[in-house]
Amino acid sequence: MVEEKYDVIIVGGGIAGSTAALFLAKKGFKVAVVERVNRNNLGWKPCGDAIGEHYFEELGLEPPRGEELEYIVSGIDIYSPTEKHVIRVKGKGYMVNTPAFVKRIMSTAISHGATLLDETIVLAPIIEDGYVVGVKARGKNGQLELRAKTVIEASGNAAVVRRKLPKDWPVAEEADPTEFNIAYREIRITEQEVRDPEYIRIYINQTIAPGGYWWLFPKGERKINVGLGVMGGAGYPSPKEIFYRYLANREDVKGEIIHAAGAPVPTRRPINSLVWNGIAVIGDAGYTVNPIHGGGKGSSMLAAYCVAEAFEKAYERNDFSAKSLWPANKCYIEKYGAKQASLDILRLFLQRMSNDEFEFIISKKLVSGDDLYTISSEARVTSRIVLRILRALVAGISRPGLLAKLKKVSDYMEEIRKYYMSYPETPEGLDGWLSGLREIYSRFNREVLG
Ligand SMILES: Cc1cc2nc3c(=O)[nH]c(=O)nc-3n(C[C@H](O)[C@H](O)[C@H](O)COP(=O)(O)OP(=O)(O)OC[C@H]3O[C@@H](n4cnc5c(N)ncnc54)[C@H](O)[C@@H]3O)c2cc1C
């Protein structure tokens, strides 16, 4: 048994873990990333490969470049179920070659002093006196015990550390199966030239992607990332089966398969707490994903940033308790979590809407591209949208029930966003705050979904 000591051990070298390693190594900490795959195979977890430009600006990270960058896009086209109506949402983003992108972040972290222990599987956390103090792992040369002041859980859906924490720690919260989208995607070289390649495409269709959507993201003139996500825990067929039933042979999809794989994505509000004694969770393991579009790369980078900042302050105090690491929660909620929770309310409503209702909203232009940009960047249903809905109600444009519900959803989104902004300052306040949160969700369920 080899025993080693670090400031921080990061479990998993995906986008969340490698970004955390980069931030921490730049601050001069002794960091080890423990990753089960070989270093040459980092980043192969299936993804739509789209990421907004603004994350790089906000975090001061170098945007994708060279072989990492496959295409620069100018926005998103959102299609109604009949595909006759489209809303264009403008906003610059990148289509990345995810493995190359993750490898570059990891190699930059290594150049700042981080250690990558690849082909090493983390088996369980080591917990002593109520603190996570390290992990047990199996590496190339046998069993390891790695010890650190704090462990960052970034093993994605495996959540190998989080699942083995005491169940009464808020950082160990288990999501409900319905709070995941089960996604499948293929990267293809298409027979046809990709139409309008500077806009990624999202198709809303509850038959093809119940409780989710299907997408076609251009990666070049003849290269696409195409896939779909369906709501988990609801008994729907597998997304791969649906893909081959409805999408694989579309004229704009037909072509040679370069890579095919699927995975679940958490699409819900933030975890109850990102931190506890000696532990932080980020990325898919910590549900830091956008509940509406399932994008998790940018937000996992934000969570990595917040945890690294909180660790630095905790290190100065030589105190790695939940209380000392707590500012990570406040940071993440301010940067993203409050918006994530607000979008979770919208997600719960949208997942229950019918194709007819989506067609109605998009065809009547009840929301514009600018509105959707505001909803997705600020999680706020602006007064402009509410006004439009109210006007439509007054003008007697059919479906008053749906329009009235939309107004209620926008009120709840605002309520939950504000509630998250009152997230407790210390762990002691969490239980009371969580019971308030449960009350809002159950009222929303009763009044809007019920
Ligand atoms: C089909 C699909 C499409 C998506 N599209 C997009 C998109 O277009 N844009 C976007 O932003 N997001 C998208 N997402 C979400 C995004 O991919 C994830 O949110 C993001 O990759 C999460 O990164 P992560 O680092 O938390 O987890 P992961 O990328 O899963 O990384 C976890 C790492 O931990 C390692 N690991 C696991 N278990 C162990 C263990 N026991 N010991 C050691 N290491 C371990 C794994 O090998 C892996 O390297 C999509 C997801 C799916 C499934």
Side-chain angles (χ1 to χ4, degrees):
M1 171 91 63
V2 182
E3 206 182 294
E4 291 214 41
K5 197 136 180 62
Y6 296 92
D7 292 325
V8 183
I9 290 164
I10 300 171
V11 181
I15 183 73
S18 56
T19 311
L22 175 58
F23 285 130
L24 286 160
K26 270 188 173 172
K27 291 178 187 292
F29 292 115
K30 193 174 174 208
V31 180
V33 180
V34 191
E35 170 53 59
R36 93 183 143 188
V37 304
N38 179 278
R39 63 190 59 228
N40 297 317
N41 295 327
L42 286 180
W44 267 112
K45 190 214 141 227
C47 186
D49 302 321
I51 182 164
E53 179 191 42
H54 57 100
Y55 292 109
F56 298 92
E57 288 165 355
E58 184 169 355
L59 291 170
L61 290 174
E62 191 171 339
R65 54 174 155 75
E67 60 153 351
E68 301 154 24
L69 176 60
E70 297 202 275
Y71 219 78
I72 296 181
V73 292
S74 311
I76 311 173
D77 280 344
I78 300 175
Y79 285 77
S80 71
T82 60
E83 297 180 29
K84 285 189 190 143
H85 305 279
V86 185
I87 304 178
R88 177 160 282 189
V89 187
K90 294 206 171 147
K92 189 173 164 189
Y94 303 108
M95 286 303 298
V96 295
N97 172 335
T98 298
F101 173 55
V102 171
K103 275 185 243 171
R104 188 256 298 178
I105 296 181
M106 183 63 81
S107 60
T108 317
I110 292 170
S111 73
H112 282 89
T115 303
L116 171 61
L117 302 170
D118 63 344
E119 295 182 46
T120 304
I121 299 174
V122 170
L123 304 170
I126 304 171
I127 303 174
E128 289 172 1
D129 301 325
Y131 276 70
V132 176
V133 293
V135 294
K136 288 188 176 147
R138 192 176 53 244
K140 298 169 196 165
N141 303 314
Q143 301 285 331
L144 294 167
E145 235 182 66
L146 304 165
R147 290 185 170 250
K149 296 179 168 58
T150 294
V151 169
I152 298 180
E153 154 69 295
S155 66
N157 281 299
V160 59
V161 172
R162 195 202 67 221
R163 287 182 210 277
K164 292 183 177 163
L165 296 174
K167 296 291 171 236
D168 58 339
W169 289 11
V171 74
E173 189 198 356
E174 276 293 331
D176 188 82
T178 58
E179 294 177 320
F180 288 86
N181 243 240
I182 314 301
Y184 173 81
R185 71 96 179 89
E186 294 190 356
I187 297 174
R188 289 186 168 205
I189 302 296
T190 50
E191 290 170 10
Q192 274 188 2
E193 229 173 70
V194 182
R195 165 172 63 79
D196 244 354
E198 65 279 10
Y199 284 88
I200 62 176
R201 291 185 234 158
I202 283 181
Y203 294 84
I204 297 168
N205 189 318
Q206 296 281 37
T207 309
I208 299 179
Y213 62 88
W214 75 270
W215 69 85
L216 190 155
F217 293 172
K219 290 194 124 195
E221 277 166 19
R222 282 180 188 272
K223 191 175 181 188
I224 58 171
N225 179 315
V226 54
L228 73 145
V230 305
M231 181 179 167
Y236 295 120
S238 87
K240 182 173 180 182
E241 193 185 321
I242 301 179
F243 183 90
Y244 275 90
R245 195 182 308 160
Y246 293 109
L247 303 178
N249 291 317
R250 281 176 63 113
E251 289 306 316
D252 48 359
V253 171
K254 266 200 247 169
E256 183 198 346
I257 302 165
I258 304 292
H259 193 266
V265 201
T267 44
R268 49 157 279 161
R269 65 185 182 276
I271 195 163
N272 288 339
S273 172
L274 285 177
V275 294
W276 206 248
N277 296 336
I279 176 87
V281 296
I282 56 173
D284 285 6
Y287 317 136
T288 54
V289 178
N290 184 304
I292 295 291
H293 56 57
K297 282 187 153 47
S299 39
S300 69
M301 287 169 21
L302 291 175
Y305 167 85
C306 290
V307 163
E309 290 295 300
F311 177 81
E312 185 178 32
K313 297 282 178 323
Y315 189 89
E316 285 163 14
R317 292 186 285 268
N318 194 28
D319 174 0
F320 305 96
S321 63
K323 189 172 186 173
S324 186
L325 293 168
W326 202 252
N329 281 320
K330 297 292 281 184
C331 165
Y332 180 72
I333 283 169
E334 268 165 36
K335 284 192 177 300
Y336 202 83
K339 159 177 146 169
Q340 188 183 325
S342 170
L343 292 176
D344 191 37
I345 291 287
L346 183 59
R347 185 260 313 172
L348 286 165
F349 181 68
L350 295 181
Q351 283 182 323
R352 285 160 179 79
M353 271 175 55
S354 66
N355 274 350
D356 267 6
E357 289 171 329
F358 278 118
E359 195 67 32
F360 171 75
I361 288 174
I362 299 175
S363 65
K364 296 288 176 206
K365 300 194 183 338
L366 288 182
V367 284
S368 67
D370 286 349
D371 296 334
L372 288 182
Y373 183 81
T374 313
I375 293 174
S376 96
S377 58
E378 295 169 29
R380 275 190 317 107
V381 177
T382 55
S383 48
R384 207 174 44 219
I385 309 174
V386 174
L387 253 179
R388 213 174 294 131
I389 293 171
L390 291 174
R391 267 199 216 114
L393 268 171
V394 172
I397 296 185
S398 54
R399 299 186 191 260
L402 172 66
L403 296 177
K405 273 196 175 177
L406 274 174
K407 167 76 179 73
K408 277 209 147 178
V409 171
S410 91
D411 292 345
Y412 270 100
M413 286 175 70
E414 191 56 14
E415 181 177 351
I416 216 101
R417 199 172 63 84
K418 286 199 178 128
Y419 192 71
Y420 264 80
M421 295 313 280
S422 72
Y423 188 85
E425 298 296 323
T426 60
E428 291 75 39
L430 187 63
D431 283 347
W433 184 86
L434 284 174
S435 61
L437 181 68
R438 281 191 291 272
E439 188 279 317
I440 301 176
Y441 266 85
S442 66
R443 192 158 32 84
F444 174 71
N445 264 304
R446 229 179 19 250
E447 287 182 6
V448 182
L449 305 181

